[in-house]
């Protein structure tokens, strides 16, 4: 198998350009592809995502990772686009996911249209992955890590204060940056409740689905994984608890090394996709 190489691309997104990395062991052969969606405050070069993409490429997949247009993050991994982050919404992320899948399946990302297609989503990206898979027949396998089961993440008193001020502030623990978040996301949740209902979408996922979640996730409780499993009606849905696992399974940014928990997640994810896409 050829050594994986990296190419960089961009396509127009809902809030600006979507920055895309494509890793593949062969640039001319048709192979299965996997699209990786990051979560809130995440980006394609955060900690575990480049090693994951490299692992997928070495396993024979075309690995497509990206910065959603509302991530606020540039290709150097810096939050240099705060206005995009401030206006980001769930619907914008879902629109971006569809645009990337369109570009990939049309052969516009430097590789042929894939033979089959899978999606991995982490945290908020996991919720987007469920929504996209439920509506997109091109997706043939799904893996979610630490996925949210609902888009309503903020209590009523916080939403009220947020609307009164016109924005709320999000602190980036890694950089110390204070990032504004306008009311666009609240409007989106209220106006598009049906199309953003993740649990309802889970019931429509018709492809093999691996739900991976740490039992001690400090950001998205394990109960949300149980809710997704309960909402799924398919026999090919599997919940994989990662005992004592946190939100990123021990991975940090900058990347240092893997952990036994993350090794388990990588192995299970690769095996799942290999079984259902090849």
């Amino acid at each position: 198998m050829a050594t994986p190489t990296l190419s960089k691309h961009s396509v127009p997104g809902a809030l600006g350009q979507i920055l895309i990395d494509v890793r593949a062991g062969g640039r001319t052969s048709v192979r299965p592809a996997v699209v990786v969606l990051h979560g809130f405050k995440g980006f394609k070069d955060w900690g575990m995502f480049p090693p994951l993409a490299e692992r997928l490429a070495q396993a024979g997949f075309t690995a497509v990772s990206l910065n959603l247009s509302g991530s606020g993050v540039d290709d150097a991994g810096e939050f240099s686009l705060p206005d995009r982050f401030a206006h980001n919404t769930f619907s914008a992320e879902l629109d971006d996911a569809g645009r990337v899948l369109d570009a990939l399946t049309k052969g516009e990302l430097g590789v042929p249209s894939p033979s089959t297609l899978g999606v991995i989503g982490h945290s908020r990206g996991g919720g987007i992955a469920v929504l996209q898979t439920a509506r997109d027949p091109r997706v043939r396998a799904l893996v979610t890590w630490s996925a949210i089961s609902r888009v309503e993440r903020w209590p009523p008193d916080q939403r009220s204060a947020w609307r009164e001020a016109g924005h709320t502030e999000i602190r980036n623990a890694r950089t110390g940056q204070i990032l504004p978040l306008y009311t666009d996301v609240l409007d989106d949740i209220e106006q598009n409740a049906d199309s953003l209902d993740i649990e309802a979408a889970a019931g429509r996922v018709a492809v093999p689905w691996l739900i991976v979640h740490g039992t001690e996730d400090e950001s998205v409780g394990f109960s949300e994984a149980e809710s997704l499993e309960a909402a799924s009606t398919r026999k090919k849905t599997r919940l994989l608890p990662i005992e004592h696992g946190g939100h990123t399974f021990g991975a940090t940014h900058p990347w240092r090394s893997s952990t036994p928990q993350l090794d388990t997640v990588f192995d299970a994810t690769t095996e799942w996709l290999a079984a259902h896409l090849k």
Side-chain angles (χ1 to χ4, degrees), residues 19-43:
L19 304 178
I20 303 169
D21 286 356
V22 177
R23 291 174 173 84
R27 294 283 162 172
T28 58
S29 59
V30 175
R31 61 187 60 216
V34 180
V35 174
V36 181
L37 301 175
H38 65 76
F40 186 58
K41 294 188 290 183
F43 49 96

Side-chain angles (χ1 to χ4, degrees), residues 154-171:
W154 304 278
D157 57 341
Q158 183 179 356
R159 295 199 300 269
S160 179
W162 186 342
R163 287 199 175 279
E164 184 174 352
H167 73 282
T168 191
E169 293 183 340
I170 304 297
R171 182 177 183 273

Side-chain angles (χ1 to χ4, degrees), residues 70-140:
S71 68
V73 180
D74 61 25
D75 203 44
E78 301 296 332
F79 276 93
S80 63
L81 305 164
D83 198 53
R84 291 191 196 175
F85 179 86
H87 288 289
N88 195 25
T89 64
F90 289 95
S91 291
E93 294 185 353
L94 187 57
D95 183 69
D96 280 359
R99 294 187 192 210
V100 172
L101 267 62
D102 287 345
L104 176 62
T105 55
K106 291 176 182 177
E108 297 174 350
L109 298 181
V111 290
S113 178
S115 55
T116 51
L117 180 60
V119 176
I120 300 171
H122 175 249
S123 192
R124 177 160 156 168
I128 296 299
V130 173
L131 294 170
Q132 183 66 33
T133 300
R135 71 179 191 174
D136 193 332
R138 296 173 297 185
V139 180
R140 304 307 303 158

